[in-house]
Amino acid sequence: MGFGFPALRNFRSAIVIAALVAALPAAAFAQADPRIVPPKDSKKQLPEAPAKLPKVGADRTKGIDFLFGALKAAPDPASAKHVEARIWAMWLQTPSDTAGLLMSRAKAAVDAQKYDVALKLLDALVKLRPDYTEAWNRRATVYYLKNDYIRSMQDIQQVLIREPRHFGALAGLGMIMQEVGDDKRALEAFRKALAVNPYLEKLPDLVKSLTEKVEGRDI
């Protein structure tokens, strides 16, 4: 969620981005150490749910808190991936059959690169169930794929208000910040994502690179 992003088109856009960043919850930014150089191909890649997801239990809130603790304490990448898949499964649980249908159709549209169709479906889903965090996240992803960073960040904000630990949204925020030239904010977002999920692919190298770039400037 490569990555050949266009520069912001004008100063007004930059002002809007800055305002959105300032409005993001403090939980969106935090600690750590480590570089990601996005591949320069035409296909953008964001952290996303694995193809096969485990089933989740009934006590969703208690269960997801436990899983986030297990994710941080995972002894190896394989264990972490298993826990991560369970978290994604909880996030993706739809609150109704109608929401599930809209979500599945939106995914099919994204897979077919019919982003405008996906947006219409996700608009309907967000309107129908504004409490469904993953609807906001998926719409943020589609806006990101369309290079509409302002709307993507608006939806990321909604995701992080509802789930500050959403490592997919945090990673997406970092990618946007990096592409608009705000390496400091990108580093903060990537660090926060890693603080939640230390086994995210590529992020440790990216954080290392950005740490040297950002924190090395003033030395």
Side-chain angles (χ1 to χ4, degrees):
M1 282 171 307
F3 293 74
F5 303 104
L8 286 177
R9 287 170 172 72
N10 52 46
F11 181 70
R12 185 177 180 184
S13 294
I15 293 296
V16 175
I17 288 282
L20 285 170
V21 171
L24 286 169
F29 302 109
Q31 52 191 246
D33 181 316
R35 162 181 180 170
I36 284 181
V37 178
K40 297 298 181 180
D41 57 40
S42 60
K43 188 175 181 180
K44 297 184 177 185
Q45 299 172 341
L46 285 176
E48 60 181 14
K52 294 183 179 180
L53 293 170
K55 294 183 178 180
V56 297
D59 194 346
R60 186 180 185 281
T61 302
K62 183 178 179 180
I64 203 166
D65 289 342
F66 172 81
L67 287 173
F68 271 112
L71 184 60
K72 292 181 70 172
D76 53 65
S79 300
K81 283 298 179 186
H82 177 72
V83 177
E84 181 183 316
R86 292 186 62 82
I87 291 173
W88 276 111
M90 287 190 170
W91 282 342
L92 286 164
Q93 271 191 319
T94 51
S96 69
D97 291 341
T98 302
L101 180 61
L102 288 169
M103 194 66 155
S104 64
R105 288 182 175 176
K107 181 182 185 303
V110 171
D111 291 343
Q113 297 185 7
K114 296 179 179 180
Y115 301 138
D116 290 337
V117 173
L119 282 177
K120 289 180 181 179
L121 292 163
L122 291 168
D123 287 346
L125 180 52
V126 165
K127 185 176 181 179
L128 175 69
R129 296 303 300 255
D131 57 327
Y132 183 31
T133 303
E134 197 56 28
W136 294 95
N137 184 55
R138 288 304 172 93
R139 196 172 70 173
T141 299
V142 177
Y143 280 132
Y144 174 88
L145 293 169
K146 288 172 62 67
N147 297 323
D148 190 340
Y149 299 147
I150 293 175
R151 286 190 175 91
S152 183
M153 287 183 63
Q154 289 172 334
D155 280 0
I156 287 172
Q157 181 182 11
Q158 293 298 322
V159 174
L160 296 177
I161 287 171
R162 292 164 174 78
E163 177 49 271
R165 301 167 297 188
H166 200 299
F167 46 81
L170 287 165
L173 173 62
M175 291 175 187
I176 293 173
M177 290 293 95
Q178 190 177 21
E179 287 305 319
V180 302
D182 193 338
D183 289 337
K184 182 178 179 181
R185 291 289 191 183
L187 178 60
E188 290 172 346
F190 288 141
R191 282 177 166 175
K192 179 59 179 177
L194 282 178
V196 176
N197 184 354
Y199 288 99
L200 282 172
E201 294 180 0
K202 301 182 182 179
L203 285 193
D205 287 342
L206 181 52
V207 172
K208 181 178 180 180
S209 172
L210 287 174
T211 297
E212 295 169 356
K213 185 177 181 180
V214 172
E215 298 181 355
R217 286 178 185 156
D218 299 331
I219 298 176

